[in-house]
Amino acid sequence: MMADKHLQDLLNAPRTDAALAQRIRDNWRRQQRIAAREGSARFWLSGAAVAAMTLLGVLMLWPWMHPRPPLLVISARVDIDKDADLNNGLTTPMRDWLRVHQIGLPPTADRVEMAKYCNLSGYLNAHLRIAGARQGHAHVFVYPGSLPFGNAHAGRVQGMRWEAWRMGNAMSVLVLYDKKMRRKGVERILQAMFPPLANQALRQAGRAMPEHAAVC
Amino acid sequence: MAKRFNACIDQHHAALFKHALWLLGSRQDAEDVVQETYCQAWRSFSTLKEDDSALAWLLTILRRSTAREYRGRARNNDLREALTAGLNEQASGIARQDMLDVFHALDSLNPAQRETLLLFALHGFSYREISARLEVPVGTVMSRIARARMALRKQLRVDDGNVIPLER
């Protein structure tokens, strides 16, 4: 006769000695460690692969990845092209306007080829095209107030570099210059026209915010 | 989580190993399949909500591992040694021959009946628990156990109907 209790005893009879159990657990833990190492290696390898792919993507998309310049800058760039053939020099009304706003004249070596007023996205600016002493051109847009550049303060737009400064709410300056124009030449022009801006901002590679001026 | 898992396998190692041993009839295979079960269990341990159901959960994993790895393989390589290693007949009151008879009786069952019987008789699960674990209706569990019971009785030449209880 075999009662259920006896059957259960028989089924429970095989020994599971501690050494065997321990060996299984040791093997299992070793597998865990190996899996963790492989997982870690796989993680880093996959991380490296993702980083490489991202870098490749960035390099491929680099020409299109520059942050879009503010609309004002695009408008200025369009205005530059529009008036490329205008050579009216520094007119008397513009001289007066600059004097009224306590803006100096560019160095004599840097000739003002064109001066006019232009409307950039609803803001009436003074626009001066200045030929560099050696080569290249700089376009200085001045607005007697605060222009909405957002957080952007420098960049490239259609083959020209642009930089913007804002001196409190009193004045905003936007400069676009072509590849032939050296930045030092731009600094020299701005030093002459906007001494406070030049002395403090341009001295710091042109990007830093002057103490009294917010960089756009 | 590792501490909880270790406690879990420490608690259920013997039951798992015996289950695998009766299913496979080989210590080496049982060892392998239990180890594989631990690996599988560790990967999905976060899905185990209640420790009370850990054994049933581990047995489910073991069942899948067994089915995958040992389907169709001969069960008893070194049967006597596998089942009775270290057995002290006098102290335990268990006869080696009885164990071999039980094994051969189990061997005469189909795998589903064998597993159902082990869950019932070795681990003491109820019909409903077995039904939930094996994902079969309770009636199927009952019929498997009944057939297993008849087969065991025949194999073991037992004329008593009390091989295993009819209900739990």
Side-chain angles (χ1 to χ4, degrees), chain A residues 38-192:
Chain A
E38 285 182 351
S40 177
R42 203 176 298 128
F43 172 81
W44 287 114
L45 284 173
S46 65
V50 167
M53 291 299 289
T54 305
L55 184 62
L56 183 64
V58 167
L59 289 174
M60 289 176 70
L61 295 173
W62 185 252
W64 295 276
M65 281 190 69
H66 292 296
R68 293 187 64 179
L71 186 61
L72 270 167
V73 177
I74 295 171
S75 298
R77 183 68 183 83
V78 170
D79 195 64
I80 289 168
D81 283 349
K82 182 170 69 67
D83 297 320
D85 296 326
L86 184 61
N87 290 289
N88 60 346
L90 186 58
T91 60
T92 304
M94 184 59 78
R95 280 179 190 271
D96 293 338
W97 188 90
L98 293 174
R99 183 169 44 79
V100 166
H101 290 93
Q102 299 177 329
I103 299 169
L105 295 175
T108 50
D110 301 289
R111 189 168 56 87
V112 178
E113 293 182 343
M114 183 274 291
K116 62 180 274 282
Y117 298 104
C118 66
N119 195 329
L120 302 182
S121 302
Y123 298 92
L124 190 63
N125 282 255
H127 175 188
L128 281 74
R129 186 176 74 232
I130 302 169
R134 293 185 177 178
Q135 58 179 355
H137 287 87
H139 296 259
V140 180
F141 294 84
V142 185
Y143 177 72
S146 177
L147 284 175
F149 286 107
N151 292 323
H153 60 87
R156 292 179 186 276
V157 57
Q158 292 186 338
M160 299 185 86
R161 274 201 61 83
W162 68 270
E163 294 185 41
W165 293 269
R166 193 168 53 212
M167 288 178 278
N169 291 324
M171 188 168 293
S172 301
V173 179
L174 171 65
V175 180
L176 289 90
Y177 55 97
D178 58 22
K179 290 175 182 174
K180 291 180 180 176
M181 187 78 181
R182 288 188 175 185
R183 195 174 188 287
K184 280 191 175 179
V186 175
E187 288 179 19
R188 191 176 61 247
I189 292 169
L190 293 179
Q191 275 175 345

Side-chain angles (χ1 to χ4, degrees), chain A residues 1-4 6-17 20-21 23-25 27-29 31-32, chain B residues 5-6 10 13-14 17-18 21-22 27 31 35 38-39 42 86 94 102 121-122 156 162-165:
Chain A
M1 171 176 149
M2 180 176 288
D4 60 310
H6 187 52
L7 176 63
Q8 195 166 21
D9 289 344
L10 282 170
L11 292 174
N12 270 307
R15 286 190 60 191
T16 50
D17 56 277
L20 177 65
R23 185 151 50 87
I24 289 179
R25 282 198 292 268
N27 282 343
W28 165 71
R29 282 172 186 139
Q31 281 190 1
Q32 264 191 308
Chain B
F5 184 74
N6 286 336
D10 282 345
H13 172 74
F17 183 77
K18 286 173 186 172
L21 188 61
W22 282 112
R27 282 190 170 263
E31 187 177 333
Q35 189 168 306
Y38 289 161
C39 290
W42 172 250
I94 301 287
V102 168
L122 175 62
L156 300 173
N162 196 25
V163 172
I164 47 176

Side-chain angles (χ1 to χ4, degrees), chain B residues 22-42:
Chain B
W22 282 112
L23 279 180
L24 302 168
S26 158
R27 282 190 170 263
Q28 188 60 50
D29 288 350
E31 187 177 333
D32 289 348
V33 84
V34 168
Q35 189 168 306
E36 173 63 17
T37 298
Y38 289 161
C39 290
Q40 298 284 339
W42 172 250

